[in-house]
Structures are given as structure tokens and as C-alpha cells.
Amino acid sequence: MFSDKEEFKSEFKSQLEEKLGKTVTTASDFDTYRALGGLIREKINKNWLKTDQGYRENKNKQVYYFSMEFLMGRLLGNNLLNMNVLSLVEDGLDDLGLSLSELEEKESDPGLGNGGLGRLAACFLDSLASLNLAGHGYGLRYKYGMFDQHFIDGKQVELPDYWLSKEFIWEVRRPEEAIEVRFGGHVSSTKGENGKLHFKYEDYEPINAIPYDVPVVGYHNETVNTLRLWSAEPTIENTVAKAEKEGEFGHFLQHKRSLEAISEFLYPDDSTAEGKELRLKQEYFLVSAGVQSIVQSFETLGLPWSSFPEKAALHINDTHPALVIPELMRILMDEKGVGWEEAWEITQNSVSYTNHTTLSEALESWPVGLVRSLLPRIFMIIDEINERFCQALWRTYPGDFDRIADLAIVADGQVKMAHLSIVGSHSINGVAKLHTEILKKREMKRFYDTFPDRFNNKTNGITHRRWLMHANRPLTSAITEAIGEDWIRQPGQLTKLLNRKDDLPFLDRLHDIKQKNKIDLSNWVQETQGIAVDPESIFDVHIKRLHGYKRQLLNALHIMHLYNELKSDPTLDIVPRTFFFGAKAAPSYHFAKKVIQLINRIADVVNHDPDVNEYIKVVFLPNYSVSIAERIIPASNVSEQISMATKEASGTGNMKFMMNGALTLGTMDGANVEIHELVGDDNLYIFGLRSDEVWDYYRNGSYSSKAVYENDQRVRHTLDQLIHYSPFSKGETEFQEIYDALLTYNDEYFVLKDFASYVLAQKKVSQDYQRKRQWNLKSLVNIAQSGVFSSDRTIQEYARDIWDIQRVTTLK
Ligand SMILES: *Cc1c(COP(=O)(O)O)cnc(C)c1O
């Protein structure tokens, strides 16, 4: 590494000159970024190699985290932080008249994920490396990531995100480690001498999986793990064969494109399973390439197959990679000659599964016909797993047809991926206490009855390195000056801040930092959106995917209500607020897109009405992403976590806000319940129905949104404004869909039911915010209690309870 700033400057200048033929003055910003990134990558390489060799020599057990999504965010700043050269590089660049933060902006933010699930995977990789744990990510190298969101006339428009158009400097292509993945064809079997069946696979379509490796740098240690992203390419043999057969180059190109389509784009649906053939191909492509490469590297150890689970843990992030189960079985049996019983034991002992949702529309199932034609051998194996599982159930519950049909993996012409995941793994975890209880007591009750020992909770976390140390450096310094730096290695020690409750200068400092962050955000909003916001106002932030259950609509209706109040009583005493939104809607999710349009309309009306715009403003930032989250969260006062109770499995946005001193305004849902448990009633704002109340309504069928509409004139007024000519609507049918969802279809997510209690909670927020010292104290308590939500804690629990791995001590 660089011994000092001068050494860095000289190496950086040579990099520019020798690699790019440029000087500091002639290089473009992107060239400068590239030179800096290139230099840092060279520094990473030594430890990367060393880590890899160390793992091999010591035969450490490796964790492979399979995920269809990794929402990494930009890497330059985080790598510099973890390599302990952030300030040195920043100062060196400063000497050269360059700004590190401006260079960081030149990196495209790789959007290889939809939201929480993909971001969790990214936080986990950071924690694994930082804790010296041998864990790697396996994902897909989508050519197009999450779409770019633009607003035209307030409506969402999706543009392709061709993030690779700017070179992604962190990846290394490794064609020598390509793996062949096979689709289609048919399977025949012959009996061998010992009576064993041999399966032969013919007429399949081979596709090359090329790994692109991205280094994952640990914090102030020598560990550099790997995120391996697979890319689909035609195999040479297949291409030649096709060209000969078709005799035409045009066909060849078409064929090439159809194969490359597998890693072409990320499905932009959050919380819905689409059932498209290409998606299933993507899933198997990731799984097969990954499992084959894991088996290959296990074989270099020269150990018996029975020790496979001692050397490899295969974790599946939701059910998308559930085919690791039949794929590992296939390889062990068909290619390595292991018998069914042993292969099954090895598979179960290696695989573990995280469930992320109980929303029924998100549960994956695939038509039997599709699985059978696309993956004939895999289907045979799934079918056999199902057969044996159902027989075992029959022995335990003889005659209980209902239960067996309910638990079967293959039923009603569908392959149920959650069932496959549960049956084929040794651990099934939920992502927050409430969520895990819901799995055990309700959604997966019968599986829990069958396999009680497999179910466990691992409350999600976020990496405090990115979300606090990198996103909010002033707060990081203030914390370290107050309690020393042990909290960085042991975030649980943030509770030491509780001793500062009476330290007025410290509370003032927290306030000043928040204020400074709010001013920075305001300037950025002015520059990029042309909206003037008041940094003295409450920054109330609702950023996450747009979904009915997340209830952005509740927030929107409340703003309409505030507007109406202000219009009817201009003397109303109201604490100024700026409402921030950021959210992408799945392109096919009409209702969610309507809500975006409504919020943009509200922003337009509110921001341009001089009667109200001194008090309230609405800012909908387009293209919500990791880098935008990093800008907004350090500047927020209020964290909107207002999902309908029982629907949000955990949430991780809630944790990022808490760690940055924002106060949660939320329902008793997901990890909000645990935030509440930690900070107590005085330090957050809980409102709305509790989970058991929601279930009571479900059981009685007694919720009537019309009754709320008829009894609450505020609700009636705002809803009528959606469909009649009003400041918010040109009348006619513009927002009819929203009106109908709330009234005609009885408000699936209990928005109207929770409206009154939300209004009250918002009033309380406004009152409390005026008592600055009290508010700062609440903010302090939130920061102090947030250490539990570091993903380091989460990963230590996974390592101990699920993966059975220890810190690798040969690395510093
Ligand atoms: C943290 C994060 C999420 C998850 O947010 P929730 O509020 O938990 O839904 C989604 N997208 C991005 C970009 C994030 O950083």
C-alpha cells in the first residue's frame, strides 16, 4: 500500500501517464476515475491472490452465497475506506486539484438488483470479508441492470440501464474457468453391471458460463473475497455445429443472441414471481455454473464426497437459486457415481435457505411441463425427491391426504420452489423475529411441524461501513471522538453513546452534523431538480420500492390532507416539512405507477402554491438507487416505515435511517418491532394496526373501507379529490384506479384503516421536532442502539448457527 500521500501521488500520476497516456490536466474526469480505480485494483490484487491461496492451502470451508441479485453500489469509495487509504487518497488528490467525491460520481452504480434482497446480499459480502470469513457471492452479470427511471408528465418511464457502456473497472474476466451449462434435450438410461442406472443426456443445448470476478475487500484486514458473476456466451463447438447445419450466418447471429439473452437483463419485479421461461433459464444457469465450479474446487482437495458439507456451504437467497438442490444431486449421482442416499445427505447438509417474504404473489412455482422440457434430468430428480418426501410423510401421517398434498413439492402441475428449498436444506431462516414467527405459526406451519429444528431467525442487517462510515463521515468522526474507535469492529459498542445523553455540546454537534447534511442535500436537490427546499424544515423520507403493501399511498393521502387543511385555514400553525420520495415501480405494475403519478402531481400542486409552499414541499427524486440512498439517508429526520403490519418481512432501509439518527415513523412490522424493542416508545413513532389485529380482521372479514370513508370526512374529501375535478385531478378517470382499489376493492392494504392513527402520529412528530434538545436526544438513542443492526452481527449468527464456519486466522 502507499506509505504516504506523496507516494500515492506519484503512483497515481504514473498510472495516468503510462496506462492512459494522459496527464492530470488533460485527462477527462472519467479517465481520472479509471486511473485511480486501476491503481487501487492493482493494490487489491496481492491480497486477493493471497486470500485465495490461503483458503486452498488451509482447506477452509467456503460459503457460497447464491443470489440472483447483488445491489453493490459504487465500489471506489468503499474500497478506499476498507483499505484504510481514504483520507490519504483524498488529500493526495486534493493536492492535485482533484476531488475524490466528484471522481466517485463517475463510477456507474451497478444496479444488479431490485431492492432489499439484492442490497442484503451486498451487505453480507462486505461483512464476510471484514470478519475474515471465507464467503463468496455467486450471481449473474446482467448486461442491463435495474432500469433507469425518468418522469415524463409525472409518469414513470423506464430506460435501459446499459451500465457496461462505461467500463466496469473492478471485474476480471476468467474465460479459463468457463463452465458448460446444458439446456433441453432428453435423457436416456441404461443399466450398468451392478444394476445401477446410468443417465445419458443427449441433444441438449450447451451454453458457456464465463465468470467475471469482482474483489470484495475486507475492512482493515488482508481478506479479499470474490463476487463471481456469470455471463452467458455460446460455446465454440455449438456455434460451429449450428453454422454447419443452418449454413447461414444470419441464423448464427440469431442463435448467438438467443443464448446471450440468458444474462441479458435483470427482471425488474420486486415481490412478484413472473413465471417466464427466460427467468427459469437464468436461475438454472446461475445454479449449474455455480455448483459445477464448487464441485470442481472441492475435488482438488482430494477428500471423500462425504466430507463435502465440511468444506462447502451453499446458501440460497430466497428460492430463486433453489435448483442448487437437484443440481448438486445430479452432479454427485450422474457424474461422480454417488448413490441417491449419500448424495441426498450431502446435499441437505450443504444447502441452507433464507425466506424473504410471505406475500403469496412472490412465491415461485414453475409449470411441470416447462421444467421437464427445459431441464429434463433436473425434473426427474425433483420428481424423485418429491416421491420420497411424500412417502416419508405418509409413514408419519398415514391417510392424511390433505396434509401431504399441501406439503408436496410437485402438485397441481407446478413445482413449488419454496417446498423444494425446505425439503432439500438443513436450515430455513426468516429475516426478522416477527417474520420468522409468521413462518413458523402460519405460512409454513405444517413444514415447521415436520422439521421444527430447521427453522430459525436471522434478523437482517446493514453494513455500518457503507451506511455510516462512508455515507456519513462527519457523524462517524463525532462518534469516534466521543467513544473511541472500538465500535467500528464491534458496532454493539455504539451503546456507549448512551452515556452522552446529558452532554449538551455533543447533542448540539449531532444536530449541526444533521443540519450540514440537510444543507448539502438541499443544494443537490436545487441543482438536480430545480426545487428549493428549506433545510430548517423536517426532512421526512420515504424511499423504497413502490408497492401497495409499503403504502406510499398513505403518505400521499396525508400530504393531500395537510394541503387541504392549510388551504382552508391559512393561519394554521404547522411545522415546515419536506416530504421526500424515491421509488421505482415494476414496469408492469399499473397501480404502483399510478401512485407515482399521484405523488408527482401532489408535488407539482404543493410546490407551486404560494399559500402552502412555505410550509410543505414534496420532492420525488427519480431513479432511487444505492448511491441516492447514501445521499438522502444521512440528511433525514423522519424514516417512513409504514407497511401494513405482517407484510414487510424485515426491511433494511429502516436500519440505515436509524443508524444515521433519523426517527422511525412506522407500523409494528418487520424489524420495526425490534427497533421499537431497542429504543422504546419515546424514541420512535408507532401507529396503526398490529399484526394480530390484522389477522382478526382477516378472520372476521369485518374490515370495510367504505365505512371509514363514510365516517371520516378527511378521508372522504381526499378520496373525492382523486376522481372529481380538484387541485390534484383533472377529474375523469385519471386516478380512478386508486380510488377503486381503496373503495370498490376494499383497500387490500388497510390504508384507510390506518389513516387516522397515521395523522395523529405525524402530529406528534411535528410537535416533538420543535423541542430541539429532546429530538436530538431521541436521535442519539437511535444511533446508540443501531449496532445490533450491523450486518456483522447478522453474519456472525449465520456463520455460527447455519454455516458452521470460523474466522480464518491465517489472514491478518
Ligand atoms: C436498503 C435499500 C432497499 C431496501 O429498502 P427497504 O426500505 O427495506 O425496502 C432498497 N433499495 C435500495 C437502493 C436500498 O439501498
Side-chain angles (χ1 to χ4, degrees):
M1 202 49 58
F2 316 109
S3 52
D4 60 19
K5 180 171 83 169
E6 296 309 320
E7 188 176 303
F8 160 70
K9 276 155 64 181
S10 109
E11 287 194 35
F12 171 66
K13 282 193 277 191
S14 337
Q15 184 85 10
L16 259 181
E17 287 158 15
E18 287 157 26
K19 298 270 161 64
L20 297 174
K22 300 271 171 77
T23 66
V24 173
T25 43
T26 62
S28 70
D29 283 353
F30 187 70
D31 283 341
T32 314
Y33 156 74
R34 232 166 41 144
L36 177 60
L39 177 60
I40 298 306
R41 227 196 67 195
E42 284 172 17
K43 300 288 172 189
I44 293 172
N45 279 345
K46 205 176 103 222
N47 281 341
W48 201 4
L49 211 74
K50 188 167 144 187
T51 303
D52 188 53
Q53 280 168 351
Y55 290 160
R56 280 171 210 271
E57 281 159 21
N58 301 305
K59 305 191 176 183
N60 301 103
K61 179 171 181 176
Q62 307 287 305
V63 173
Y64 301 94
Y65 194 85
F66 281 80
S67 178
M68 287 291 279
E69 305 187 10
F70 286 91
L71 200 50
M72 298 295 283
R74 294 183 175 130
L75 297 178
L76 178 60
N78 245 244
N79 285 345
L80 293 173
L81 171 73
N82 284 7
M83 292 159 80
N84 201 12
V85 291
L86 186 62
S87 303
L88 181 150
V89 165
E90 190 168 39
D91 293 348
L93 290 171
D94 198 47
D95 288 355
L96 301 171
L98 296 166
S99 145
L100 174 61
S101 58
E102 279 172 29
L103 292 184
E104 283 183 54
E105 296 279 313
K106 296 297 153 200
E107 180 167 341
S108 52
D109 182 345
L112 306 186
N114 271 285
L117 174 147
R119 184 53 231 172
L120 183 76
C123 284
F124 281 3
L125 293 185
D126 185 67
S127 287
L128 282 162
S130 297
L131 294 167
N132 300 86
L133 294 168
H136 314 278
Y138 272 10
L140 290 182
R141 181 178 179 270
Y142 302 106
K143 216 156 127 194
Y144 297 90
M146 190 58 198
F147 64 80
D148 268 336
Q149 179 193 51
H150 292 247
F151 298 138
I152 295 182
D153 292 336
K155 294 180 186 158
Q156 169 174 295
V157 173
E158 303 96 25
L159 295 182
D161 157 53
Y162 189 34
W163 67 291
L164 290 168
S165 67
K166 290 207 244 169
E167 179 193 356
F168 183 50
I169 61 165
W170 305 105
E171 68 184 5
V172 182
R173 178 183 159 93
R174 300 201 193 281
E176 71 283 4
E177 293 187 47
I179 301 273
E180 186 179 282
V181 177
R182 300 170 173 187
F183 288 98
H186 24 255
V187 180
S188 58
S189 55
T190 47
K191 248 202 185 106
E193 284 160 26
N194 48 7
K196 233 178 175 174
L197 282 179
H198 292 277
F199 291 91
K200 202 165 155 221
Y201 204 30
E202 292 164 312
D203 297 332
Y204 54 81
E205 176 119 76
I207 298 179
N208 256 342
I210 311 284
Y212 286 73
D213 288 350
V214 180
V216 181
V217 180
Y219 179 79
H220 295 196
N221 64 17
E222 294 177 350
T223 302
V224 180
N225 289 332
T226 301
L227 167 59
R228 174 160 278 200
L229 299 174
W230 300 92
S231 178
E233 290 182 13
T235 64
I236 298 292
E237 299 78 3
N238 188 28
T239 309
V240 172
K242 279 276 166 190
E244 278 170 0
K245 203 159 145 199
E246 315 277 342
E248 235 191 280
F249 196 64
H251 287 282
F252 153 70
L253 276 184
Q254 213 178 345
H255 178 69
K256 176 173 183 288
R257 285 202 197 100
S258 78
L259 297 188
E260 286 170 352
I262 291 181
S263 54
E264 189 87 352
F265 73 96
L266 166 77
Y267 276 88
D269 290 316
D270 192 64
S271 344
T272 36
E274 252 209 289
K276 292 263 161 56
E277 178 176 347
L278 182 56
R279 170 74 176 185
L280 181 60
K281 277 189 173 174
Q282 289 187 335
E283 294 182 354
Y284 182 68
F285 178 76
L286 163 63
V287 157
S288 180
V291 179
Q292 288 187 64
S293 77
I294 293 166
V295 168
Q296 279 179 11
S297 71
F298 173 76
E299 285 186 296
T300 64
L301 303 176
L303 296 169
W305 288 108
S306 57
S307 26
F308 186 86
E310 289 150 36
K311 296 296 164 191
L314 280 59
H315 196 89
I316 58 177
N317 195 22
D318 214 307
T319 60
H320 319 137
L323 295 176
V324 295
I325 293 159
E327 177 66 1
L328 182 55
M329 290 293 289
R330 180 189 72 78
I331 296 170
L332 290 173
M333 295 187 304
D334 296 1
E335 295 178 7
K336 309 300 171 191
V338 179
W340 180 283
E341 310 289 345
E342 191 184 0
W344 184 239
E345 197 176 318
I346 292 170
T347 300
Q348 275 193 321
N349 289 332
S350 317
V351 178
S352 47
Y353 154 56
T354 296
N355 173 285
H356 283 270
T357 183
T358 56
L359 300 180
S360 56
E361 64 271 28
L363 294 182
E364 280 192 301
S365 67
W366 295 102
V368 161
L370 178 63
V371 182
R372 187 188 275 140
S373 67
L374 195 65
L375 309 167
R377 178 64 183 134
I378 291 298
F379 180 74
M380 291 170 75
I381 294 169
I382 294 173
D383 209 33
E384 180 71 22
I385 294 172
N386 181 51
E387 210 41 55
R388 289 175 185 237
F389 174 56
C390 290
Q391 280 167 17
L393 284 173
W394 183 262
R395 288 191 291 273
T396 324
Y397 306 102
D400 195 344
F401 293 98
D402 173 63
R403 178 185 302 264
I404 296 170
D406 196 34
L407 297 183
I409 298 166
V410 184
D412 310 321
Q414 300 279 320
V415 178
K416 298 181 177 175
M417 302 297 261
H419 296 199
L420 175 63
S421 305
I422 296 169
V423 175
S425 59
H426 63 90
S427 166
I428 299 122
N429 75 281
V431 289
K433 287 180 192 167
L434 175 64
H435 170 60
T436 302
E437 284 311 300
I438 294 175
L439 291 180
K440 295 203 289 201
K441 307 253 161 71
R442 293 178 170 265
E443 301 298 326
M444 296 181 166
K445 184 177 184 313
R446 282 179 156 173
F447 277 111
Y448 178 59
D449 291 344
T450 311
F451 306 121
D453 300 339
R454 293 189 192 180
F455 284 78
N456 62 92
N457 179 57
K458 297 286 168 280
T459 299
N460 280 167
I462 54 162
T463 167
H464 59 289
R465 287 167 291 274
R466 177 177 292 267
W467 295 106
L468 175 52
M469 299 173 71
H470 187 249
N472 199 345
R473 288 166 68 190
L475 179 56
T476 304
S477 307
I479 295 171
T480 299
E481 282 167 40
I483 61 171
E485 58 180 22
D486 289 354
W487 69 275
I488 293 174
R489 288 261 172 228
Q490 294 161 321
Q493 301 226 2
L494 282 170
T495 50
K496 283 185 187 160
L497 287 170
L498 294 173
N499 301 329
R500 297 296 177 127
K501 276 184 175 172
D502 302 314
D503 182 343
L504 286 185
F506 185 69
L507 289 174
D508 284 343
R509 184 162 175 203
L510 291 185
H511 174 262
D512 294 345
I513 289 167
K514 185 63 82 182
Q515 221 40 43
K516 166 77 168 58
N517 292 341
K518 288 169 73 176
I519 292 169
D520 290 348
L521 178 63
S522 307
N523 292 337
W524 182 76
V525 166
Q526 177 67 262
E527 279 163 35
T528 57
Q529 308 299 310
I531 304 174
V533 302
D534 175 8
E536 296 296 323
S537 64
I538 302 174
F539 277 21
D540 178 324
V541 184
H542 202 169
I543 48 175
K544 49 183 74 250
R545 280 304 285 261
L546 212 134
H547 200 289
Y549 83 82
K550 291 180 183 275
R551 300 202 296 192
Q552 281 91 352
L553 184 54
L554 176 56
N555 190 345
L557 294 178
H558 172 250
I559 301 171
M560 287 171 69
H561 161 64
L562 272 185
Y563 173 88
N564 293 334
E565 276 201 309
L566 272 167
K567 289 300 273 188
S568 67
D569 177 8
T571 66
L572 194 77
D573 186 24
I574 142 161
V575 186
R577 268 219 214 207
T578 308
F579 295 94
F580 289 92
F581 290 88
K584 288 178 180 175
S588 60
Y589 191 174
H590 294 285
F591 174 78
K593 290 175 129 177
K594 272 289 161 197
V595 174
I596 290 180
Q597 197 188 337
L598 176 62
I599 296 170
N600 277 323
R601 176 66 52 77
I602 297 171
D604 198 35
V605 171
V606 166
N607 298 350
H608 293 103
D609 188 331
D611 292 345
V612 304
N613 67 12
E614 271 184 53
Y615 305 103
I616 53 176
K617 279 266 168 70
V618 179
V619 180
F620 199 142
L621 294 166
N623 215 31
Y624 178 53
S625 56
V626 172
S627 33
I628 293 205
E630 287 176 60
R631 262 185 201 283
I632 306 177
I633 293 170
S636 24
N637 299 121
V638 177
S639 159
E640 299 263 1
Q641 306 300 336
I642 63 176
S643 56
M644 174 190 174
T646 72
K647 297 291 181 188
E648 187 74 89
S650 162
T652 48
N654 46 5
M655 302 167 183
K656 301 167 195 165
F657 281 100
M658 177 192 187
M659 199 174 266
N660 281 276
L663 272 54
T664 304
L665 166 57
T667 47
M668 284 294 251
D669 200 16
N672 296 353
V673 175
E674 287 159 72
I675 294 177
H676 173 253
E677 201 176 284
L678 285 160
V679 303
D681 285 329
D682 291 342
N683 298 299
L684 86 175
Y685 301 88
I686 294 291
F687 73 96
L689 292 182
R690 310 300 200 247
S691 47
D692 41 1
E693 294 171 315
V694 167
W695 285 314
D696 285 346
Y697 275 108
Y698 281 163
R699 206 176 39 243
N700 309 329
S702 58
Y703 174 49
S704 159
S705 62
K706 280 213 183 67
V708 180
Y709 172 85
E710 271 147 27
N711 293 318
D712 189 330
Q713 77 78 31
R714 301 165 304 182
V715 170
R716 204 161 56 241
H717 186 49
T718 48
L719 292 203
D720 289 346
Q721 285 178 316
L722 293 177
I723 54 159
H724 299 305
Y725 190 83
S726 78
F728 302 105
S729 169
K730 303 182 184 88
E732 295 159 29
T733 56
E734 219 181 356
F735 296 117
Q736 185 78 41
E737 195 178 336
I738 295 179
Y739 181 90
D740 286 341
L742 292 174
L743 290 176
T744 318
Y745 300 105
N746 202 31
D747 185 13
E748 185 180 358
Y749 300 111
F750 290 43
V751 172
L752 304 188
K753 182 78 208 164
D754 280 348
F755 182 81
S757 122
Y758 183 63
V759 172
L760 279 178
Q762 283 287 29
K763 282 222 171 80
K764 181 103 181 11
V765 168
S766 286
Q767 282 163 10
D768 287 4
Y769 190 73
Q770 288 170 292
R771 300 165 62 192
K772 284 262 145 56
R773 183 173 159 199
Q774 253 60 300
W775 185 274
N776 292 337
L777 188 59
K778 294 175 199 294
S779 178
L780 172 81
V781 172
N782 274 272
I783 300 166
Q785 297 288 7
S786 69
V788 174
F789 297 114
S790 166
S791 46
D792 288 5
R793 186 269 311 149
T794 315
I795 281 297
Q796 276 160 337
E797 292 177 4
Y798 275 84
R800 183 193 64 205
D801 303 341
I802 301 180
W803 300 327
D804 192 23
I805 54 166
Q806 276 94 40
R807 190 176 272 271
V808 173
T809 48
T810 47
L811 290 159
K812 215 175 69 192

